[in-house]
Amino acid sequence: MDIKQLIYLCNLERERHFGRAAEASFVSQPTLSMRLKNLERELGLSLINRSNNFDGFTAEGERVLAWAREIVSVYQGLKLEVESLKHGVNGTLRIGVVPQCSVSLPLLLKMVSNRYPQLDYRVAVLSADQLLEALTSHTVDVGIGFFELATLRELHFQAESLTDNGVELVYHPDHFPQLDELEQLRMGDIATLPLCLAEPTRYFRRYLDASFREAGVTQRVILESTSIFQLLQGVQVGLGCLIAPAGHLLPEMNPDLHHRPLAIAPMARHAAVVIAEPGRATPLSQHFFDEVRRILSEA
């Protein structure tokens, strides 16, 4: 057994396809298949359900895969530690983020880059549940999203809470001038407005839908999308209004848009920056987390 075999196994879990796993591993598909078969032969276990295509892992394969994730994570952490000892903090940090969290991620990354200019970032947009799974399986180094704090404590994650600045309605005053007359909006004030919202599986959207139900208000969603860019374009042309966590959007990007706070019950989950527990977090993620904690404490 060697580390490459375990990396191939983890890549196969992520890609769910032999060809794509081979590309991610920078080897040919026959080489990847041969190395995984050698691993099965060495362990004396069938790890992968094979038909004409990848058909998931066996029960034994799932157990071995859990260990493989841990070993690969430690191995990658060791490589990063060696690089940081030789060259300082540099490398690529894998970040998982939920859409519409209560922080502007690029702004946060820019502030961290002032301290660590050699740090690069690969960002994956995930649902809240996918993000927790990605953190648990070590497929991301840092998670930024909405979490249940009790769950984070049980799993021994390090977490730095983000400030909850409430929720706001974003609109174009040329199309909705009546909203400029209100300092703060209530749920009833937006009952007749066309809304541009994230699709219903996202945590923030589920939170909004529940808040509308509790207020006895039926909302009109005119545009639904997984893309915040598409939602903002809908707001810009006057198709509808966007509801977002305050602080999520950079006002400078859309100077024509206005923002009004919305009176709404707070979310059950908490926005936070999360990494693995001390000793298991990668060196890059620990440096990033410590710098984020410093930045937030001075804000």
Side-chain angles (χ1 to χ4, degrees):
M1 184 191 314
D2 62 45
I3 191 65
K4 286 187 177 180
Q5 291 169 309
L6 300 182
I7 292 173
Y8 298 163
L9 196 67
C10 292
N11 286 343
L12 182 59
E13 179 200 23
R14 185 180 70 248
E15 300 296 338
R16 315 299 291 184
H17 185 276
F18 284 107
R20 291 195 297 271
E23 289 179 9
S25 304
F26 303 102
V27 296
S28 67
Q29 183 172 334
T31 296
L32 179 127
S33 296
M34 179 191 69
R35 295 299 303 277
L36 292 178
K37 285 179 181 177
N38 289 344
L39 177 62
E40 290 177 311
R41 193 158 38 246
E42 183 178 346
L43 296 176
L45 294 170
S46 177
L47 305 179
I48 301 164
N49 293 317
R50 291 180 174 87
S51 56
N52 291 332
N53 299 300
F54 173 73
D55 198 26
F57 294 94
T58 64
E60 296 82 2
E62 293 286 356
R63 296 284 297 274
V64 171
L65 185 60
W67 282 101
R69 291 193 210 103
E70 293 285 336
I71 294 168
V72 170
S73 176
V74 171
Y75 169 74
Q76 291 173 338
L78 173 60
K79 288 178 63 180
L80 292 172
E81 181 73 25
V82 170
E83 287 300 310
S84 67
L85 289 172
K86 290 193 296 185
H87 307 296
V89 178
N90 74 86
T92 300
L93 192 68
R94 302 168 302 167
I95 300 177
V97 60
V98 302
Q100 292 188 300
C101 196
S102 57
V103 65
S104 168
L105 177 59
L107 181 59
L108 185 63
L109 298 185
K110 179 62 176 70
M111 289 188 285
V112 173
S113 292
N114 292 335
R115 174 75 180 275
Y116 300 121
Q118 299 303 313
L119 197 56
D120 300 326
Y121 308 96
R122 182 187 305 145
V123 177
V125 179
L126 305 169
S127 71
D129 295 335
Q130 288 172 334
L131 179 54
L132 186 60
E133 172 60 28
L135 283 164
T136 303
S137 62
H138 307 291
T139 56
V140 300
D141 305 304
V142 178
I144 301 176
F146 299 110
F147 301 92
E148 295 176 351
L149 296 184
T151 300
L152 296 179
R153 286 193 291 269
E154 288 173 8
L155 297 173
H156 306 291
F157 285 115
Q158 299 178 72
E160 183 67 22
S161 293
L162 297 170
T163 302
D164 183 356
N165 294 310
V167 174
E168 62 185 9
L169 187 81
V170 182
Y171 62 96
H172 199 299
D174 288 352
H175 302 283
F176 300 96
Q178 72 277 17
L179 296 176
D180 282 346
E181 301 173 4
L182 302 172
E183 287 299 320
Q184 185 178 58
L185 300 170
R186 297 167 298 178
M187 300 298 282
D189 295 325
I190 60 176
T192 60
L193 295 177
L195 299 176
C196 302
L197 300 180
E199 49 90 25
T201 62
R202 301 300 188 183
Y203 172 74
F204 186 72
R205 171 65 187 276
R206 299 201 307 268
Y207 154 71
L208 291 178
D209 288 347
S211 299
F212 277 114
R213 286 195 300 271
E214 291 172 8
V217 174
T218 301
Q219 73 271 38
R220 182 195 174 197
V221 182
I222 193 169
L223 175 62
E224 212 172 60
S225 175
T226 58
S227 168
I228 300 301
F229 177 69
Q230 295 297 332
L231 297 178
L232 274 175
Q233 286 196 102
V235 176
Q236 185 68 39
V237 301
L239 183 62
C241 306
L242 172 69
I243 303 177
H248 167 63
L249 302 173
L250 290 174
E252 297 86 351
M253 289 186 63
N254 300 96
D256 295 335
L257 302 183
H258 288 189
H259 303 246
R260 286 292 180 273
L262 177 63
I264 189 172
M267 285 176 269
R269 295 186 182 183
H270 296 265
V273 178
V274 176
I275 64 170
E277 64 185 316
R280 299 186 67 186
T282 65
L284 290 187
S285 63
Q286 191 66 60
H287 283 301
F288 178 86
F289 183 80
D290 292 341
E291 182 62 11
V292 167
R293 175 172 281 173
R294 185 194 67 78
I295 290 168
L296 294 177
S297 69
E298 295 178 356

